């Protein structure tokens, strides 16, 4: 009886309105939950395919033709473009110019790491110096090329500065291959230093502050903190900057193209490819050169990742 009384005392749910039944649970709800993320990715994936992967596929297709970039007809030539590339050594001699930029990238990474380490600690006017270091990266590359074109010209800004220190002779900084490539590589260091600086600074600041406090209590100086805390903590970012620097040194274009146009021994592989396509109307050969450059960059990246694997770092 008591159990029956308790069951009778339970509140009765309100009756549903006439003509309406209980709302059925949609059977497709779990499926929609799986599809929803892909719906959000539809637009970016469409843009990525349309403006990245589809042009790459077209470039590979053009590399097997003799298309001149203008005529509507395409003639399949097989691997003739690749055979021409690898049988003409002068087409690969331009990679020697990349050595200047590769050496400059070492200086760039070292300087960026130094400034990031110093400015990660409590230094006066550090926000001001952060802005000064990162500002060149915000400037358009074409504008930088024109600015330094007047900077390095005969009797230009650099010569005027040298006169203040007693050096009166004008020097044609962009007239010889060695001085021109050194000048262009120096401009590249100035421009991209801020990018590596920000990457290193973010990685350093992500290291827990308790580690620095513990190291100071143990009597560790700045160099020991850098060696045992900062260097292991930023290893993944350092590996990323090395990959970016190597690939960037192989595909330099903006600064030498604006400042010299590839003259006086400053022509890079990308400038040569652009000239093949738009100056000599050999779009098929230029596409083959672009494919070769892409494969070289992928190979260098793969070798770098094999030699320096991206291990997880646990400092805590």
């Amino acid at each position: 009886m008591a159990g029956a009384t308790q069951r009778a005392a339970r509140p009765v749910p309100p009756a549903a309105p006439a003509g309406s039944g209980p709302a059925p649970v949609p059977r497709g709800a779990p499926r929609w939950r799986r599809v929803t993320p892909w719906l959000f990715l539809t637009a970016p994936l469409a843009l990525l395919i349309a403006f990245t992967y589809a042009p790459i596929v077209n470039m590979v297709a053009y590399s097997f033709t003799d298309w001149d970039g203008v005529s509507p007809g395409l003639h399949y030539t097989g691997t003739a473009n690749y055979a021409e590339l690898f049988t003409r050594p002068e087409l690969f001699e331009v990679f020697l110019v990349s050595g200047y930029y590769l050496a400059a990238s070492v200086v760039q990474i070292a300087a960026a790491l130094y400034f990031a380490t110093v400015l990660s600690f409590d230094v006066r006017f550090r926000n001001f110096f952060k802005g000064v270091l990162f500002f060149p990266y915000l400037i358009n590359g074409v504008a930088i090329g024109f600015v330094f074109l007047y900077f390095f010209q005969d009797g230009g800004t650099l010569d005027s500065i040298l006169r203040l220190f007693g050096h009166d002779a004008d020097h044609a900084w962009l007239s010889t291959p060695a001085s021109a490539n050194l000048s262009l590589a120096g401009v590249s260091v100035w421009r991209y230093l801020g990018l590596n600086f920000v990457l290193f600074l973010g990685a350093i600041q992500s290291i827990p502050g308790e580690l620095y406090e513990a190291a100071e209590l143990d009597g560790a100086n700045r160099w020991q903190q850098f060696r045992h805390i900062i260097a292991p903590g930023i290893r993944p970012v350092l590996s990323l900057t090395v990959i970016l620097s190597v690939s960037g040194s192989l595909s330099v274009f903006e600064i030498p193209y604006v400042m010299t146009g590839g003259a006086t021994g400053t022509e890079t592989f990308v400038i040569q490819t652009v000239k093949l396509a738009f100056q000599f109307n050999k779009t098929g050969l230029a596409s083959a050169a672009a494919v070769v450059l892409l494969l070289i960059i992928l190979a260098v990246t793969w070798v770098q990742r094999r030699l320096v694997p991206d291990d997880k770092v646990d400092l805590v």
Side-chain angles (χ1 to χ4, degrees), residues 8 79 86 204 227 252 276 308:
T79 59
F86 289 101
I204 293 174
R227 179 181 177 184
V252 178
L276 287 174
V308 186

Side-chain angles (χ1 to χ4, degrees), residues 119 123-134 197:
L119 296 178
V123 181
R124 295 183 62 184
F125 305 110
R126 63 176 181 176
N127 291 330
F128 170 76
F129 290 115
K130 290 177 184 178
V132 169
L133 290 172
F134 186 67
F197 166 74

Side-chain angles (χ1 to χ4, degrees), residues 252-253 256-257 261-262 266-276:
V252 178
F253 174 71
Y257 186 78
T266 61
E267 186 176 63
T268 63
F269 193 79
V270 179
I271 294 178
Q272 177 181 261
T273 303
V274 171
K275 287 184 176 181
L276 287 174

Side-chain angles (χ1 to χ4, degrees), residues 75-87:
H75 301 284
Y76 177 76
T77 59
T79 59
N81 291 324
Y82 294 96
E84 183 177 356
L85 279 176
F86 289 101
T87 54

